[in-house]
Amino acid sequence: MGEESGGMTRLQTGAEVIRGYLGHLGNDAGVYRMISAEGEPLYVGKAHNLKKRVTTYSRPDRLPIRLQRMVAETATMEFVTCASEVEALLLENNLIKRLMPRYNVLLRDDKTFPDILIRGDQDYPQIVKHRGARDRKGDFFGPFASAGAVNRTLNVLQRAFLLRNCTGGVFRNRSRPCLQYQIKRCSAPCVGYISQEDYAATVDQAKAFLSGRSQEVKDSLATAMQAASDALDFERAAALRDRLRAMAHVQSSQDINIEGIGDADVVALEQRGGQSCIQVFFYRGGRNNGNRAYFPSHDKQLEPSEVLSGFLGQFYENRPPPKDVLVNQTPAELDLLAEALSVKAGRKVTLAVPQRGGRRKAVDHAADNARDALERRLAETSSQRRLLTGLADLAGLDAPPERVEVYDNSHIQGRQAVGAMIVAGGDGFMKSAYRKFNIRGDAVEKEAADAAAAGLAEAPVPPLEGAPSASAPSGGDDYAMTREVIYRRFARAMKEDPERTEGQWPDLVILDGGRGQMTAAMEALTELGLQDEVPVMSVAKGPEREAGRERIILPGAEQPVLLPPRDPVLYFIQRLRDEAHRFAIGSHRKRRAKDQARNPLDEIPGIGAKRKKALLLYFGSAKAVSRASVADLEKVEGISNAVARKIHGFFHPNG
């Protein structure tokens, strides 16, 4: 802990800051926040007694090294009192998810899980995949660990219960059955091939199956199949047989009959080398709905019980917990955590470490999966570090890069041009840091002038010797696009993080392209005064775009570097480039689809949703609106003469 003015260390200064709050604290339950001098949240904690808990931080000599570092960085604190410790725990988890303080256990991968929804607002309910808040009318079943798990289950459910999955518009406008009926995945209620009462019965069967009463449904179908066979209605008997087989398939593939498990999440933690893996298996109605592995960020000195407790609190912060949460080891403050989960769910939630039977078997299975996933992660991390070291040697860096940014562009003859940035580090691709840039063309000149006026950058410089011109992009000018993307990326970085304290500056920039892209990027960096501060290299495709013969171009080098075809670093560079290419193409396709779906009426000033709807209802299409005369436009409700002239003028600027 370094010295500060007056001879006090940073640790002593932080402890003095904390002691200054003790006189104003009571014995209430609540949440406290430690904040750095830069305003960064360091830690969020909860306490049954705020004064007692905060007092422990004012005696740093009794704290572990991790907490001493935290105290040393503390410049201010904030407090919120709560009615109970359970309320404080719920607020703590909410704040951790929102603020992401670096001394807490952090669950960074927090995507929502998909459900199956059987809609309740239709005469013939539709079965669909749903993601997000459960705010639609109907019955929800889930969660499922992935979209793939939902899709597989939906596929089998359609074969077993013949429920429709088409939208309302398609359903209302059918005059004959669609392909789903032909391949025996729908009972064709759209054309009356099944009565509403019979369809409702199959819906009830599907709900019973998804709720865990599968044997009841199978017995009912088996009885009906036998009755149809006895009546010599072999076609119906065969259809019921196929439905039973579909149900048997989903049961056998999902390990449905686990003793003692109904609605439960099975959670197992494994630690090694200061890293943790937590596997979560989702069981609903006794059915395994898949699993997902998490690698929470935390200090290496934290005990497994603290990591597990922090994970569970954040995991259920924005999703309802099931009836049972089964874990492989006891989390810190188990009883308090179970009470908080019960408050969150609005019903009793049991949090337990099973010791025997099917529940214990499920927990052990989850622990095995966590151990295997952690071993793979550690092996990948070790391999990634070796590759980053090789990349550093190639680029002439002093140390392996912690953050590598790779850039690529995608467009069709200059239209819907998109620049893409992907990021990789010691743990692989950092997808939350990916960024796309919609190419604006004249943006660089304007931003350069603004930056020069603000003293953030030098005045624009002429192109480097021998380089193609990289002015505003036009047509398929990939060089100018590269220049714009690099300029915008680092102009923003200089504005938002000039001190480079937030870990958002790259240690190496890789460009997909040749010497032209390299020159364009160096122009942009030179304008910003960063030409000697950001290492750059470009990767040019080999002759006839042959993989394995890529040329690595470095600034100032007269000749490109050719790595051996089987060099692991070359494979690594190819993987980085291919990921940037994939992301760029995906971003371009999304922009192109959005542009193609844009209605010309959206671009007319003064035409809002109501007038747009009236015009489309009257004329049938935007193209018909564009051909209409002023007199015809005036006939539309809500369109005055002035508005009609504005619309006509938009489509006919020359009269």
Side-chain angles (χ1 to χ4, degrees):
M1 310 294 176
E3 291 288 332
E4 292 193 340
S5 60
M8 293 182 65
T9 65
R10 291 178 59 200
L11 179 60
Q12 292 170 333
T13 301
E16 191 64 30
V17 167
I18 294 172
R19 278 192 288 270
Y21 289 99
L22 295 178
H24 306 285
L25 293 176
N27 298 318
D28 304 301
V31 172
Y32 58 93
R33 279 182 279 178
M34 294 176 162
I35 303 170
S36 71
E38 293 77 25
E40 175 196 4
L42 298 171
Y43 184 77
V44 174
K46 64 102 182 73
H48 175 68
N49 185 314
L50 277 174
K51 187 168 186 176
K52 286 185 178 180
R53 175 60 59 83
V54 175
T55 299
T56 61
Y57 296 110
S58 68
R59 302 164 182 164
D61 55 309
R62 304 180 184 181
L63 298 174
I65 298 298
R66 175 180 69 90
L67 296 183
Q68 288 185 7
R69 292 200 307 267
M70 183 177 72
V71 169
E73 294 184 56
T74 301
T76 184
M77 295 185 71
E78 293 181 0
F79 304 90
V80 178
T81 59
C82 300
S84 66
E85 192 174 7
V86 169
E87 183 180 321
L89 178 58
L90 294 172
L91 177 59
E92 176 195 34
N93 291 321
N94 179 275
L95 290 174
I96 291 172
K97 291 287 288 295
R98 183 157 55 87
L99 301 176
M100 303 296 283
R102 55 190 169 90
Y103 283 97
N104 286 94
V105 175
L106 298 180
L107 173 58
R108 297 184 182 276
D109 181 11
D110 191 30
K111 298 177 182 177
T112 59
F113 297 108
D115 296 302
I116 287 176
L117 166 63
I118 299 180
R119 295 185 58 175
D121 53 356
Q122 300 167 330
D123 293 335
Y124 294 90
Q126 172 192 19
I127 184 168
V128 294
K129 177 171 63 179
H130 175 86
R131 191 187 291 271
R134 295 184 172 187
D135 52 4
R136 300 174 68 181
K137 188 175 181 181
D139 295 282
F140 292 88
F141 301 92
F144 289 79
S146 65
V150 172
N151 293 335
R152 288 190 295 272
T153 303
L154 280 174
N155 183 34
V156 174
L157 287 173
Q158 282 184 261
R159 288 160 47 197
F161 301 104
L162 308 180
L163 301 183
R164 74 179 186 92
N165 65 352
C166 57
T167 63
V170 172
F171 180 81
R172 288 189 297 270
N173 293 297
R174 294 299 305 182
S175 59
R176 59 181 181 178
C178 68
L179 180 63
Q180 292 293 313
Y181 173 77
Q182 304 296 336
I183 62 176
K184 299 181 180 180
R185 294 191 181 183
C186 181
S187 53
C190 54
V191 291
Y193 281 17
I194 184 173
S195 68
Q196 188 172 342
E197 293 75 15
D198 289 343
Y199 189 87
T202 61
V203 169
D204 290 340
Q205 288 177 343
K207 291 178 181 178
F209 179 80
L210 289 169
S211 299
R213 306 198 308 274
S214 57
Q215 193 58 48
E216 172 188 323
V217 177
K218 289 176 65 178
D219 291 344
S220 175
L221 290 179
T223 301
M225 181 181 69
Q226 186 61 49
S229 178
D230 293 341
L232 305 182
D233 187 354
F234 298 119
E235 185 176 351
R236 173 170 169 75
L240 291 168
R241 177 203 61 200
D242 292 342
R243 294 175 60 187
L244 280 167
R245 285 179 176 174
M247 291 177 61
H249 174 76
V250 73
Q251 287 179 301
S252 63
S253 64
Q254 293 188 326
D255 194 16
I256 190 170
N257 296 314
I258 294 182
E259 179 187 353
I261 292 186
D263 289 348
D265 286 347
V266 177
V267 184
L269 176 144
E270 289 292 325
Q271 279 192 331
R272 185 172 300 176
Q275 294 191 44
S276 299
C277 175
I278 298 178
Q279 280 277 356
V280 182
F281 280 74
F282 304 96
Y283 289 88
R284 295 298 182 269
R287 182 179 300 102
N288 181 357
N289 284 349
N291 62 294
R292 182 175 292 185
Y294 293 89
F295 299 90
S297 173
H298 62 83
D299 190 279
K300 294 183 179 181
Q301 298 178 4
L302 274 184
E303 293 296 322
S305 61
E306 296 177 274
V307 175
L308 185 57
S309 180
F311 170 85
L312 290 172
Q314 293 175 58
F315 185 75
Y316 292 112
E317 198 280 324
N318 61 351
R319 59 177 61 91
K323 178 182 176 182
D324 295 311
V325 178
L326 309 178
V327 292
N328 69 328
Q329 51 189 290
T330 304
E333 300 180 302
L334 182 145
D335 293 337
L336 178 64
L337 187 56
E339 187 178 352
L341 294 180
S342 299
V343 170
K344 183 77 177 176
R347 52 175 165 72
K348 182 174 176 58
V349 174
T350 301
L351 179 60
V353 183
Q355 300 299 317
R356 61 184 67 85
R359 291 185 164 207
R360 184 65 203 183
K361 178 182 176 183
V363 167
D364 290 341
H365 178 61
D368 290 340
N369 277 267
R371 191 177 306 111
D372 292 343
L374 183 57
E375 289 177 355
R376 288 194 299 271
R377 175 75 168 232
L378 292 172
E380 290 170 0
T381 300
S382 176
S383 174
Q384 185 86 351
R385 289 293 176 188
R386 288 196 299 271
L387 292 171
L388 288 171
T389 299
L391 191 60
D393 293 340
L394 176 64
L397 305 181
D398 295 332
E402 296 294 326
R403 180 184 174 104
V404 179
E405 294 182 357
V406 189
Y407 294 83
D408 191 15
N409 302 321
S410 182
H411 58 92
I412 297 178
Q413 295 182 341
R415 295 193 300 272
Q416 292 97 22
V418 173
M421 175 190 88
I422 66 112
V423 183
D427 293 329
F429 292 116
M430 302 159 60
K431 296 195 175 183
S432 62
Y434 286 16
R435 295 292 182 268
K436 65 181 180 67
F437 303 81
N438 289 331
I439 302 298
R440 302 200 295 260
D442 59 348
V444 174
E445 282 66 25
K446 181 179 183 302
E447 291 182 8
D450 293 343
L456 291 175
E458 302 175 3
V461 297
L464 300 181
E465 183 177 354
S469 173
S471 57
S474 61
D477 191 344
D478 200 56
Y479 305 143
M481 294 177 190
T482 298
R483 178 175 177 270
E484 177 180 328
V485 169
I486 295 297
Y487 188 96
R488 286 167 56 186
R489 160 69 177 104
F490 288 97
R492 183 169 183 173
M494 292 175 67
K495 180 179 179 181
E496 295 182 351
D497 185 22
E499 302 299 325
R500 308 190 187 192
T501 58
E502 299 180 9
Q504 301 303 307
W505 284 73
D507 301 305
L508 177 64
V509 166
I510 299 178
L511 307 168
D512 181 20
R515 198 169 296 278
Q517 282 80 2
M518 167 69 74
T519 302
M522 293 306 298
E523 281 185 35
L525 293 173
T526 301
E527 288 183 21
L528 295 168
L530 300 174
Q531 66 273 19
D532 297 323
E533 300 184 39
V534 180
V536 182
M537 62 186 287
S538 64
V539 183
K541 296 179 177 65
E544 299 181 0
R545 309 173 72 88
E546 183 180 349
R549 300 181 65 187
E550 284 83 358
R551 293 169 291 125
I552 312 301
I553 299 171
L554 301 171
E558 294 184 2
Q559 298 296 327
V561 177
L562 296 176
L563 294 174
R566 298 183 182 276
D567 192 306
V569 176
L570 177 60
Y571 285 138
F572 182 50
I573 292 173
Q574 290 172 346
R575 189 152 56 95
L576 294 175
R577 180 202 59 197
D578 292 345
E579 173 67 3
H581 192 54
R582 179 200 66 80
F583 184 60
I585 290 177
S587 300
H588 164 69
R589 286 175 176 167
K590 288 179 181 178
R591 184 181 183 188
R592 187 176 65 193
K594 184 178 179 180
D595 288 349
Q596 289 173 344
R598 183 180 294 122
N599 194 305
L601 300 179
D602 294 331
E603 301 177 18
I604 306 176
I607 300 300
K610 189 173 181 180
R611 283 174 171 166
K612 174 184 170 184
K613 181 179 180 181
L615 287 165
L616 291 175
L617 286 174
Y618 188 89
F619 290 103
S621 69
K623 188 173 183 179
V625 175
S626 71
R627 294 197 297 257
S629 65
V630 173
D632 289 335
L633 291 168
E634 285 186 85
K635 295 176 182 178
V636 180
E637 182 181 357
I639 304 297
S640 64
N641 179 265
V643 175
R645 290 182 180 280
K646 182 185 293 186
I647 297 170
H648 188 270
F650 177 83
F651 289 110
H652 306 278
N654 298 322

